[in-house]
């Protein structure tokens, strides 16, 4: 069914339409039909009686035609065509919300999908507990590898009913609007809509408006949304397109608006929780990428961040996790960008605090010239939460090795007595565990005034990382490396490896098992060491062909 966007009377409730799913699309002909089909499949069994409303935001690439063709074969699909592009996601979602007739509504982006049973699980929770909002687990699916990364898994580990967000302020951390089911009468009664027009991170504001209205909320562990992450796409999604400092300004603006909504509603605890989330997640995310940006970006980013953080309370800083509050304090204490490598390494997950390790008046501090930035909690953090740095220099050859150096952290490791290290490899696309390499740690001679450290060297059998059945046809497989350090006092901790040395380049190696082996150690955005491994002449030709095409 095709509809032109125009003023219309209020919707008439259709008793058989329990749930309306609003799908928004702009120039996404390649993916929108998959999204719509996943929404239509939610009501295929008849128990949810789902209607799907697709809003085409004035696309120019055939998205509208694709939706119309699908609507001719699907009676439950209604298509709304906007005549002018809105510039954002809020306006088309509001259009779909006004057109919805179901008791409940849910939102879906054109490049994502709903897993089977998602709406049924959310609807069951909403009806069972008589709540106007039900939320479920979301996964970020990295494509084309199809590797699933849970989104805020701690929030959705167990089913729960929250009397309000004020009673459970940690709910503020989930700013997504798409993994939730909303009762339309609740949204209407409180005047809750999305910001209109070209508004980036509109879901931050929508979610704040929902939580500020203090609904009872049911959370369930069921997977209800698959968020597709296409990092190699020609046009990045808003959440991935962070190359312009305007994106950071938009994120600050959306966060500021959300905090104001909580404050205006008298929810001080939610405003505080939102500020803490901004430090723990948003700030850390952007700091982690600073080393990939140009000088102009860094200067402007630093100015904007310093100006915004100046309005945070000390209580907000103290409530954030130690790495985040240390990052914030360095920015506040310095008028210009500095120590970018140390900052980006600390912002990684897990964070790594690089030497040198300075002290002032017996306290751990950021550096001798910033003694006011105290690294509080280092003396009380449990061992497994310490931002330990382990340098790893890959030496790839006929006998591939990793040269390791574990740095002490203000005496915490020295007191525990590191004795051995395990290097574990995991295949990124499916988290399959590969071989584990173990070595003894040896105390290294320390120069006067420098920190203690321990060294080791492990041999890597790279041939075991290639699947015999698919190795000769596959692209290079990324493998992530983690270390586990065992200590004499029976404690242990896990840490990622910091990529160091000059060996971060692709090497072709002879292999008895595969004939030819390709290995490339590389540093991730956060500076961690990873490996890409492939085998066979076919892989060589595919890589060479891609380089020629570029």
């Amino acid at each position: 069914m095709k509809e032109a966007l125009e003023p219309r009377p209020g919707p008439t409730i259709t008793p058989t339409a329990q749930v309306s799913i609003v799908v928004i699309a702009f120039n996404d002909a390649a993916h929108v039909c998959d999204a719509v089909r996943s929404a239509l499949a939610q009501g295929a069994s008849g128990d949810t009686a789902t209607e799907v409303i697709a809003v085409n935001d004035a696309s120019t690439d055939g998205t509208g035609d694709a939706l119309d063709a699908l609507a001719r074969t699907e009676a439950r699909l209604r298509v709304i065509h906007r005549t002018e592009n809105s510039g954002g996601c809020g306006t088309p979602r509001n259009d779909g919300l006004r057109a919805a007739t179901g008791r409940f509504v849910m939102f879906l982006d054109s490049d994502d999908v709903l897993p089977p049973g998602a709406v049924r699980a959310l609807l069951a929770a909403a009806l069972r507990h008589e709540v106007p909002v039900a939320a479920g687990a979301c996964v970020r699916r990295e494509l084309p590898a199809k590797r699933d990364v849970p989104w805020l898994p701690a929030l959705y580990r167990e089913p729960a009913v929250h009397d309000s967000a004020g009673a459970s302020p940690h709910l503020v951390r989930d700013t997504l609007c798409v993994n939730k089911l909303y009762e339309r009468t609740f949204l209407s009664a409180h005047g809750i809509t999305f910001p209109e027009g070209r508004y980036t991170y509109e879901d931050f504001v929508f979610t704040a408006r929902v939580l500020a209205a203090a609904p009872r909320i049911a959370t369930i562990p069921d997977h209800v949304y698959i968020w597709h992450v296409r990092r190699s796409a020609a046009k990045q999604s808003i959440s991935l397109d962070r190359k312009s400092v305007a994106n950071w300004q938009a994120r600050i603006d959306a966060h500021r608006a959300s905090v104001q909504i909580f404050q205006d509603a008298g929810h001080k605890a939610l405003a505080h929780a939102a500020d803490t989330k901004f430090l723990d997640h948003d700030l850390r995310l952007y700091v982690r990428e600073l080393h990939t940006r140009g000088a102009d970006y860094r200067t402007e980013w630093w100015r904007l961040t310093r100006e915004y953080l100046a309005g945070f309370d000390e209580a907000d800083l103290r409530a954030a996790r130690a790495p985040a509050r240390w990052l914030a304090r360095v920015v506040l204490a310095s008028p210009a960008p500095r120590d970018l490598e140390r900052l980006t390494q600390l912002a990684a997950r897990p964070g790594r605090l690089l030497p040198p390790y300075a002290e002032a008046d017996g306290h751990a501090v950021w550096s001798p010239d910033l003694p006011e930035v105290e690294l509080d909690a280092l003396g009380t953090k449990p061992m497994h939460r310490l931002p330990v740095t382990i340098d790893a220099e890959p030496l790839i050859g006929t006998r591939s090795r990793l040269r390791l150096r574990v740095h002490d952290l203000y005496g915490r490791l020295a007191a525990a007595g590191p004795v051995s290290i395990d290097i574990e490899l995991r295949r990124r696309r499916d988290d399959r565990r590969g071989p584990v390499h173990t070595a003894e740690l040896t105390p290294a001679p320390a120069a006067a005034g420098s920190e203690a450290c321990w060294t080791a060297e492990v041999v890597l059998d790279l041939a075991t990382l290639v699947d015999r059945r698919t190795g000769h046809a596959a692209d290079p497989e990324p493998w992530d490396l983690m270390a586990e350090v065992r200590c004499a006092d029976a404690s242990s901790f896990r840490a990622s490896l910091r990529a160091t040395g000059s060996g971060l380049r692709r090497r072709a190696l002879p292999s008895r098992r595969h004939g030819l082996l390709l290995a490339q150690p590389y540093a991730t955005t956060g500076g961690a060491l990873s490996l890409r491994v492939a085998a066979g002449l076919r892989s060589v030709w595919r890589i060479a062909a891609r380089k020629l095409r570029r």
Side-chain angles (χ1 to χ4, degrees):
M1 179 187 301
K2 178 177 178 179
E3 300 180 359
L5 184 62
E6 56 187 17
R8 65 185 69 223
T12 300
I13 299 296
T14 304
T16 57
Q18 281 277 68
V19 179
S20 299
I21 301 176
V22 175
V23 184
I24 61 169
F26 171 65
N27 284 355
D28 200 12
H31 306 119
V32 66
C33 288
D34 289 338
V36 170
R37 289 189 186 98
S38 77
L40 289 166
Q42 302 298 313
S45 62
D47 54 351
T48 55
T50 305
E51 72 168 353
V52 179
I53 300 168
V55 183
N56 168 32
D57 198 5
S59 298
T60 59
D61 72 336
T63 293
D65 292 339
L67 289 172
D68 287 341
L70 192 55
R72 286 192 286 272
T73 63
E74 294 285 354
R76 288 178 296 131
L77 172 61
R78 301 161 59 194
V79 181
I80 295 175
H81 294 278
R82 291 186 51 80
T83 56
E84 292 184 9
N85 179 253
S86 68
C89 297
T91 296
R93 286 198 185 120
N94 288 337
D95 292 339
L97 182 57
R98 283 188 289 268
T101 64
R103 177 180 172 184
F104 296 90
V105 65
M106 190 174 180
F107 302 100
L108 171 62
D109 291 344
S110 62
D111 54 348
D112 300 330
V113 294
L114 300 178
V119 171
R120 186 183 308 114
L122 288 169
L123 181 61
L127 297 177
R128 182 186 311 117
H129 301 293
E130 298 182 340
V131 297
V133 180
C138 167
V139 295
R140 288 166 54 93
R141 178 164 293 170
E142 298 271 355
L143 296 176
K146 294 186 178 180
R147 174 175 176 255
D148 287 349
V149 180
W151 170 256
L152 297 175
L155 288 183
Y156 298 102
R157 192 161 289 129
E158 301 289 341
V161 178
H162 309 270
D163 288 335
S164 69
S168 305
H170 56 281
L171 293 176
V172 167
R173 291 182 173 267
D174 187 3
T175 54
L176 296 183
C177 69
V178 290
N179 60 331
K180 301 174 181 70
L181 189 75
Y182 309 91
E183 191 166 38
R184 283 195 313 111
T185 54
F186 160 76
L187 297 179
S188 177
H190 294 278
I192 297 172
T193 59
F194 291 89
E196 293 276 350
R198 193 177 298 276
Y199 196 105
T200 309
Y201 300 112
E202 76 296 328
D203 46 351
F204 285 26
V205 175
F206 179 85
T207 300
R209 289 171 176 169
V210 169
L211 298 180
R216 294 178 70 241
I217 300 172
T219 54
I220 59 175
D222 306 62
H223 287 161
V224 302
Y225 199 86
I226 298 176
W227 176 359
H228 285 152
V229 179
R230 296 179 173 89
R231 299 187 189 277
S232 59
K235 181 175 175 55
Q236 294 287 350
S237 65
I238 288 174
S239 61
L240 292 178
D241 189 10
R242 297 189 289 268
K243 294 184 179 63
S244 168
V245 75
N247 180 277
W248 178 236
Q249 178 68 73
R251 200 168 188 118
I252 288 175
D253 291 342
H255 176 259
R256 181 188 285 115
S258 301
V259 170
Q260 191 62 54
I261 289 168
F262 293 137
Q263 291 174 340
D264 291 345
H267 296 305
K268 293 183 179 179
L270 295 183
H272 172 66
D275 279 340
T276 303
K277 173 261 177 190
F278 179 85
L279 297 170
D280 282 337
H281 177 72
D282 303 62
L283 177 67
R284 201 166 171 179
L285 174 66
Y286 283 72
V287 169
R288 189 162 64 241
E289 299 171 346
L290 270 182
H291 69 291
T292 68
R293 311 302 185 207
D296 290 343
Y297 176 102
R298 294 171 183 173
T299 299
E300 181 62 7
W301 183 94
W302 198 275
R303 184 191 68 80
L304 290 170
T305 307
R306 195 162 183 257
E307 181 181 277
Y308 190 51
L309 292 179
F312 279 53
D313 293 334
E314 177 62 21
D316 296 329
L317 294 176
R318 286 198 168 276
R321 296 184 178 95
R325 65 175 178 263
W326 300 341
L327 297 172
R329 284 172 174 157
V330 171
V331 173
L332 286 168
S334 178
R338 57 167 290 161
D339 302 335
L340 293 180
E341 184 181 8
R342 293 188 79 202
L343 290 172
T344 54
Q345 292 281 337
L346 184 59
R349 295 187 184 276
R352 295 176 290 275
L353 180 60
L354 303 188
Y357 302 123
E359 293 188 67
D361 298 326
H363 299 291
V365 297
W366 180 256
S367 63
D369 62 328
L370 283 185
E372 66 270 36
V373 179
E374 182 182 348
L375 305 182
D376 54 319
L378 268 178
T380 57
K381 272 180 171 292
M383 187 70 74
H384 68 277
R385 295 290 300 278
L386 289 174
V388 173
T389 294
I390 303 177
D391 291 338
E393 180 183 4
L395 305 170
I396 303 301
T398 53
R399 186 173 179 268
S400 296
R401 296 162 291 149
L402 273 185
R403 190 173 289 161
L404 304 165
R405 179 176 292 265
V406 180
H407 293 269
D408 194 13
L409 200 57
Y410 295 97
R412 290 293 306 276
L413 272 67
V419 294
S420 68
I421 186 168
D422 294 341
I423 301 299
E424 176 185 293
L425 292 95
R426 284 190 178 270
R427 189 165 62 186
R428 185 175 299 169
R429 66 179 164 89
D430 57 6
D431 205 35
R432 179 174 78 80
R433 190 182 187 191
V436 176
H437 306 276
T438 302
E440 291 185 2
L441 286 167
T442 303
S450 65
E451 79 288 340
C453 60
W454 297 261
T455 62
E457 191 170 282
V458 298
V459 176
L460 298 176
D461 186 359
L462 300 181
T464 62
L465 302 181
V466 180
D467 192 320
R468 284 177 176 272
R469 295 166 298 178
T470 61
H472 292 268
D475 286 328
E477 286 266 28
W479 288 79
D480 294 320
L481 291 82
M482 286 293 294
E484 182 167 2
V485 175
R486 303 182 189 280
C487 302
D489 67 354
S491 65
S492 64
F493 62 89
R494 291 173 62 81
S496 59
L497 304 177
R498 176 192 175 213
T500 62
S502 59
L504 301 179
R505 60 184 185 275
R506 183 183 293 124
R507 296 286 304 275
L509 308 171
S511 169
R512 258 185 277 178
R513 184 180 301 184
H514 303 290
L516 187 67
L517 199 65
L518 291 177
Q520 181 184 17
Y522 68 98
T524 66
T525 301
L529 177 66
S530 289
L531 287 168
R532 292 189 185 96
V533 182
L537 288 173
R538 185 171 178 180
S539 295
V540 174
W541 284 114
R542 292 176 69 171
I543 293 169
R546 279 199 295 268
K547 293 181 84 172
L548 288 172
R549 284 197 297 270
R550 287 198 294 267

